Amino acid sequence: MATLKAAQWAASLSYPSIPPEAMQAAIRSFYNWVGCTVGGSNHPAASIARNSLSRFFGAPTSTLLGTNGVQADAQHAALINGIASHVHDYDDTHLDTIIHPTGPVAAALLSFAQSLDRPVSGREFLTALAAGIELECKTGLAVWPSHYDVGWHITSTTGSIGAAAAVSRLLGLTPEKTAHAIGIAATQVTGLREMFGSHTKSFHPGRAAQNGLLAAVLAADGYTSSLQALEAKRGWVKVVSNDDKLTHEIVSLESGGKWELAKNSFKPFPCGIVIHPVIDGCVWLHGELQRRGLRLQDIKTVHVTVHPLVLELTGKTKPRDGLEAKFSVYHGGAIGLIYGKATPAQYEDAIVTNPETIEVRDKIIATAAKDMRADECQILVEFETPAVRIERHVHHAVGSLDSPMTDSQLMEKFLDQCSPVIGPEQARITSDWCWSLEIKNDIRQIGKVL
Amino acid sequence: MATLKAAQWAASLSYPSIPPEAMQAAIRSFYNWVGCTVGGSNHPAASIARNSLSRFFGAPTSTLLGTNGVQADAQHAALINGIASHVHDYDDTHLDTIIHPTGPVAAALLSFAQSLDRPVSGREFLTALAAGIELECKTGLAVWPSHYDVGWHITSTTGSIGAAAAVSRLLGLTPEKTAHAIGIAATQVTGLREMFGSHTKSFHPGRAAQNGLLAAVLAADGYTSSLQALEAKRGWVKVVSNDDKLTHEIVSLESGGKWELAKNSFKPFPCGIVIHPVIDGCVWLHGELQRRGLRLQDIKTVHVTVHPLVLELTGKTKPRDGLEAKFSVYHGGAIGLIYGKATPAQYEDAIVTNPETIEVRDKIIATAAKDMRADECQILVEFETPAVRIERHVHHAVGSLDSPMTDSQLMEKFLDQCSPVIGPEQARITSDWCWSLEIKNDIRQIGKVL
């Protein structure tokens, strides 16, 4: 009964029944997603798809974010916005499953909502978004960790299901039709980890958005699948994992405990999450050096002590371009010290190969310590003349669950992502519009805002 | 290197290098596929998809078979034609993997060929079709049997890859781009067996056609995936199976042995393949009774001896409708005796519940014998007055590899499928056109024929 119970839960979810912290998380998740999508829209993975597939576009109903108002049919908009949102690996993370949950769900839902010939209120939209993300994370927990370990990209494999549930909710489908939609989505298992490092990684959440949207539209019109798609002997859970915590997760869904959505986290920096404590500390040190009137060129050494995984995953001492720099704790520390921030601009090739960056980077010595947590680090900056030592201990890096990004930090990130693409004025207008999504009468207006 | 080697093979396949028996099989496979697609086009699984998704259709370039010339964009035509071709479970079978190989590949290739703004010759089309089907079957053999056993619908999971290879070949992509296309297709693993018995079963080959088409189009324009998509540690073969005969299959591909395509088989009857020996024998007996002037109502008993699997899978003694009749060896025998054939018309509900059918059906007594092969059966018809006994031993049922359907049997099947949908005259014109595909200058003309 797990599939039907999940469908029943999603179909009956209402705005008043969503606790405030989950609704706030939905708003922040969508806000962050729009920033990531606009910010990723001119990456080749998105622009190739946009240009290549335009020959198939249907009637333009749905906005391709970041393109100055270009529209496509809802299916293609779901794909292309989904790609753009993930391409910089800068989107949100449900840390217990490492699902990037908003991409597949929001890409499907926004594109489809824009294609409807009726108003869609912000509350209605956020309710559907919450239903989709919650179910996505629950199915992810049901198959974690074997599903990811064997090689599935869990963001897209569960994202199809989340997107189907969200679009079904927006359409007001019955529980049975919602279950059919979940089934049609579940049978499209998209995403192998082998694709990491290529354009196809970001294709995954885009295709998941399409899978789910297609599933809900077909189910709405009477297309049938299995009503035991998730739990059956040859259903989704058993075929794609050795874990089976589905019953447990569906019970917790129905019992109304802590929402997974409320545990969603946001990346302050566009690089591997294990580097974040070092960047966090170096950003603070940037300000401290300014306050004390100390100069970067006078630094002798920067000693950094980190969790062992940091050097294992991001130990690249001499990154050659922006992509490699995302896997270099040394580059992360250097830009934190020099710029006091780490935005996509500090990961452009020209910054990575800039002599000033290299000079600071080469002063950083990183050491692994087993007693450090993954979101913790210790930094010591040594000057020779004057003989000054400044220390900074980061207990929980910004963006972790214990130190979540504030709304104003999210806004700064948003403006940093959007301004280079759509200009600072338009970025600010879009930011304001997205923050007040909950009181909007018709979210289809986003097309006019963007 | 398996993915690159497979891509190299597909990219360099040329018409003259294909042995005659494989080319003949390609022509017969496509011919049979067109009949199945037209025949399935008005089934709800196809018509719901057609109506539901028309809101997303792009510029009409590609024919929806069986719809009197309605066109859609190539992506949607691939989906809908793929659904229609499989919905009656009447399409072709590669017996060693039970892949229905032509559906995903032909649906993608035909739709895409029609969208091109240049002529596509029959030979060019058949070469691409052969490349796709062969690679599809080879990847299926690489993961057989664990892949199917765990719950994957192997027709669509391998079909995506075959479709990508075929469209890549038609586009003349380099081996490297073809490998990227295979990767983008492989990451979209579509098809859970749990969906059998619902509309979503036939959705699988349709979606596989789309997956492969999308993959090839993106790769053509520079979209990247992994060049080790099939063989990598977290690549397709290892994620979806416990078997790994990939290297073996790719070596045999390169060495140019017997083509899998040449082993493709065609179903003479629209029901479970294990019933086919009984129908084959009863069709012969129908003629024999007529020759001898014997009447069905004088039959006392029909003793049928079959492989044990026949009763296990198709032992339904009193089917209530056409769908149940597909799993009844008794109905199969009865219609063979009464009509001398078993076409979709003999599986309509009205025939299944007809008193004459029931009278003959109830005279059939089936017994399992372990020493029977699956494609073999023994039939004994007993009359009381006159006291006549007629026996028929079927060694290899028609449609099996040892007794393949002849071209004229394929044609009869084709006309039976198409005539009720497009009329007998149009069915004959289409049949003639498809048989001579190899000498056609531009297969895009199929839109005008249909």
Side-chain angles (χ1 to χ4, degrees), chain A residues 376-401:
Chain A
E376 181 185 11
C377 79
Q378 171 73 29
I379 308 175
L380 168 63
V381 183
E382 285 188 314
F383 290 81
E384 207 147 28
T385 323
V388 175
R389 292 161 62 99
I390 310 177
E391 285 192 81
R392 176 69 174 175
H393 189 99
V394 175
H395 294 275
H396 300 287
V398 59
S400 67
L401 278 184

Short mmCIF file of all heavy atoms in Angstrom, two decimals, chain A residues 376-401:
data_model
loop_
_atom_site.label_atom_id
_atom_site.label_comp_id
_atom_site.label_asym_id
_atom_site.label_seq_id
_atom_site.Cartn_x
_atom_site.Cartn_y
_atom_site.Cartn_z
N GLU A 376 33.88 21.45 10.00
CA GLU A 376 34.73 22.19 10.95
C GLU A 376 36.11 22.42 10.32
O GLU A 376 36.53 21.66 9.44
CB GLU A 376 34.88 21.30 12.20
CG GLU A 376 35.70 21.89 13.34
CD GLU A 376 35.88 20.87 14.48
OE1 GLU A 376 35.54 19.67 14.29
OE2 GLU A 376 36.38 21.27 15.55
N CYS A 377 36.84 23.47 10.77
CA CYS A 377 38.25 23.59 10.41
C CYS A 377 38.95 24.59 11.35
O CYS A 377 38.29 25.34 12.08
CB CYS A 377 38.46 24.01 8.96
SG CYS A 377 38.23 25.77 8.66
N GLN A 378 40.27 24.54 11.32
CA GLN A 378 41.09 25.45 12.13
C GLN A 378 42.05 26.14 11.16
O GLN A 378 42.68 25.48 10.33
CB GLN A 378 41.86 24.61 13.17
CG GLN A 378 42.91 25.36 13.95
CD GLN A 378 42.28 26.31 14.98
OE1 GLN A 378 41.18 26.04 15.48
NE2 GLN A 378 42.95 27.42 15.27
N ILE A 379 42.16 27.46 11.27
CA ILE A 379 43.05 28.20 10.37
C ILE A 379 43.98 29.09 11.20
O ILE A 379 43.53 29.75 12.15
CB ILE A 379 42.26 29.08 9.38
CG1 ILE A 379 41.19 28.26 8.66
CG2 ILE A 379 43.20 29.74 8.37
CD1 ILE A 379 40.29 29.08 7.75
N LEU A 380 45.25 29.10 10.83
CA LEU A 380 46.23 29.97 11.49
C LEU A 380 47.00 30.73 10.40
O LEU A 380 47.66 30.12 9.56
CB LEU A 380 47.21 29.12 12.31
CG LEU A 380 48.47 29.84 12.82
CD1 LEU A 380 48.12 30.96 13.80
CD2 LEU A 380 49.43 28.84 13.49
N VAL A 381 46.90 32.07 10.46
CA VAL A 381 47.63 32.90 9.49
C VAL A 381 48.85 33.50 10.20
O VAL A 381 48.72 34.14 11.24
CB VAL A 381 46.74 34.05 8.96
CG1 VAL A 381 47.49 34.85 7.89
CG2 VAL A 381 45.45 33.50 8.39
N GLU A 382 50.02 33.25 9.63
CA GLU A 382 51.27 33.75 10.21
C GLU A 382 51.88 34.86 9.36
O GLU A 382 52.07 34.67 8.15
CB GLU A 382 52.31 32.63 10.29
CG GLU A 382 52.06 31.62 11.38
CD GLU A 382 53.26 30.67 11.48
OE1 GLU A 382 53.74 30.20 10.43
OE2 GLU A 382 53.72 30.42 12.60
N PHE A 383 52.21 35.97 10.00
CA PHE A 383 52.96 37.05 9.33
C PHE A 383 54.37 37.07 9.92
O PHE A 383 54.57 36.81 11.11
CB PHE A 383 52.29 38.41 9.59
CG PHE A 383 50.97 38.59 8.88
CD1 PHE A 383 49.82 38.06 9.41
CD2 PHE A 383 50.91 39.29 7.68
CE1 PHE A 383 48.61 38.23 8.77
CE2 PHE A 383 49.71 39.46 7.05
CZ PHE A 383 48.54 38.92 7.57
N GLU A 384 55.38 37.45 9.09
CA GLU A 384 56.74 37.54 9.60
C GLU A 384 56.97 38.95 10.15
O GLU A 384 57.38 39.12 11.29
CB GLU A 384 57.75 37.23 8.49
CG GLU A 384 59.04 36.67 9.01
CD GLU A 384 59.64 35.68 8.01
OE1 GLU A 384 59.39 35.84 6.79
OE2 GLU A 384 60.33 34.75 8.42
N THR A 385 56.65 39.95 9.28
CA THR A 385 56.82 41.34 9.71
C THR A 385 55.52 42.08 9.43
O THR A 385 55.19 42.26 8.24
CB THR A 385 57.94 42.04 8.92
OG1 THR A 385 58.99 41.12 8.68
CG2 THR A 385 58.45 43.24 9.68
N PRO A 386 54.80 42.51 10.39
CA PRO A 386 54.99 42.29 11.83
C PRO A 386 54.74 40.84 12.22
O PRO A 386 54.00 40.15 11.53
CB PRO A 386 53.93 43.21 12.45
CG PRO A 386 52.83 43.25 11.44
CD PRO A 386 53.51 43.18 10.10
N ALA A 387 55.30 40.38 13.31
CA ALA A 387 55.17 38.98 13.73
C ALA A 387 53.81 38.76 14.38
O ALA A 387 53.66 38.79 15.60
CB ALA A 387 56.30 38.61 14.70
N VAL A 388 52.83 38.63 13.50
CA VAL A 388 51.44 38.50 13.97
C VAL A 388 50.92 37.10 13.63
O VAL A 388 51.29 36.53 12.61
CB VAL A 388 50.54 39.56 13.29
CG1 VAL A 388 49.09 39.36 13.68
CG2 VAL A 388 51.01 40.95 13.64
N ARG A 389 50.10 36.54 14.51
CA ARG A 389 49.41 35.27 14.24
C ARG A 389 47.92 35.48 14.47
O ARG A 389 47.52 35.98 15.53
CB ARG A 389 49.90 34.17 15.20
CG ARG A 389 51.35 33.75 14.97
CD ARG A 389 51.92 33.04 16.20
NE ARG A 389 51.20 31.81 16.51
CZ ARG A 389 51.65 30.59 16.17
NH1 ARG A 389 52.79 30.44 15.51
NH2 ARG A 389 50.95 29.52 16.48
N ILE A 390 47.13 35.12 13.50
CA ILE A 390 45.68 35.24 13.68
C ILE A 390 45.07 33.85 13.50
O ILE A 390 45.36 33.17 12.50
CB ILE A 390 45.04 36.20 12.66
CG1 ILE A 390 45.80 37.53 12.64
CG2 ILE A 390 43.57 36.43 12.99
CD1 ILE A 390 45.28 38.52 11.62
N GLU A 391 44.23 33.47 14.43
CA GLU A 391 43.60 32.15 14.34
C GLU A 391 42.10 32.29 14.13
O GLU A 391 41.48 33.27 14.55
CB GLU A 391 43.83 31.38 15.64
CG GLU A 391 45.25 30.84 15.77
CD GLU A 391 45.37 29.84 16.92
OE1 GLU A 391 44.99 28.67 16.71
OE2 GLU A 391 45.81 30.26 18.01
N ARG A 392 41.55 31.28 13.48
CA ARG A 392 40.09 31.23 13.33
C ARG A 392 39.65 29.77 13.37
O ARG A 392 40.14 28.95 12.59
CB ARG A 392 39.67 31.86 12.00
CG ARG A 392 38.18 31.78 11.70
CD ARG A 392 37.36 32.66 12.63
NE ARG A 392 35.94 32.69 12.27
CZ ARG A 392 35.01 33.31 12.98
NH1 ARG A 392 35.34 33.97 14.09
NH2 ARG A 392 33.75 33.30 12.60
N HIS A 393 38.76 29.49 14.29
CA HIS A 393 38.20 28.13 14.35
C HIS A 393 36.75 28.18 13.84
O HIS A 393 35.93 28.92 14.39
CB HIS A 393 38.23 27.60 15.79
CG HIS A 393 37.87 26.16 15.87
ND1 HIS A 393 38.81 25.14 15.97
CD2 HIS A 393 36.67 25.52 15.83
CE1 HIS A 393 38.21 23.97 16.00
NE2 HIS A 393 36.90 24.18 15.91
N VAL A 394 36.46 27.42 12.82
CA VAL A 394 35.08 27.33 12.31
C VAL A 394 34.45 26.05 12.86
O VAL A 394 34.91 24.95 12.55
CB VAL A 394 35.05 27.31 10.75
CG1 VAL A 394 33.64 27.11 10.25
CG2 VAL A 394 35.65 28.59 10.21
N HIS A 395 33.46 26.21 13.72
CA HIS A 395 32.82 25.03 14.32
C HIS A 395 31.83 24.38 13.36
O HIS A 395 31.82 23.16 13.19
CB HIS A 395 32.11 25.44 15.62
CG HIS A 395 33.06 25.87 16.69
ND1 HIS A 395 33.70 25.00 17.54
CD2 HIS A 395 33.55 27.11 17.00
CE1 HIS A 395 34.50 25.65 18.36
NE2 HIS A 395 34.43 26.95 18.05
N HIS A 396 30.99 25.19 12.75
CA HIS A 396 30.03 24.67 11.75
C HIS A 396 30.03 25.66 10.60
O HIS A 396 29.61 26.81 10.76
CB HIS A 396 28.62 24.57 12.33
CG HIS A 396 28.52 23.65 13.50
ND1 HIS A 396 28.59 22.28 13.36
CD2 HIS A 396 28.37 23.88 14.82
CE1 HIS A 396 28.47 21.71 14.56
NE2 HIS A 396 28.34 22.67 15.47
N ALA A 397 30.49 25.21 9.44
CA ALA A 397 30.57 26.12 8.30
C ALA A 397 29.20 26.69 7.95
O ALA A 397 28.17 26.01 8.12
CB ALA A 397 31.13 25.38 7.09
N VAL A 398 29.21 27.90 7.46
CA VAL A 398 27.97 28.50 7.00
C VAL A 398 27.36 27.60 5.92
O VAL A 398 28.08 27.04 5.07
CB VAL A 398 28.19 29.94 6.47
CG1 VAL A 398 29.19 29.96 5.33
CG2 VAL A 398 26.88 30.59 6.05
N GLY A 399 26.05 27.43 5.98
CA GLY A 399 25.36 26.54 5.02
C GLY A 399 25.09 25.17 5.61
O GLY A 399 24.26 24.43 5.09
N SER A 400 25.77 24.81 6.70
CA SER A 400 25.48 23.53 7.34
C SER A 400 24.17 23.67 8.13
O SER A 400 23.69 24.78 8.35
CB SER A 400 26.62 23.13 8.28
OG SER A 400 26.68 24.03 9.38
N LEU A 401 23.63 22.52 8.57
CA LEU A 401 22.35 22.59 9.29
C LEU A 401 22.47 23.36 10.59
O LEU A 401 21.52 23.99 11.05
CB LEU A 401 21.83 21.17 9.56
CG LEU A 401 21.09 20.50 8.40
CD1 LEU A 401 20.54 19.16 8.82
CD2 LEU A 401 19.98 21.40 7.86
#
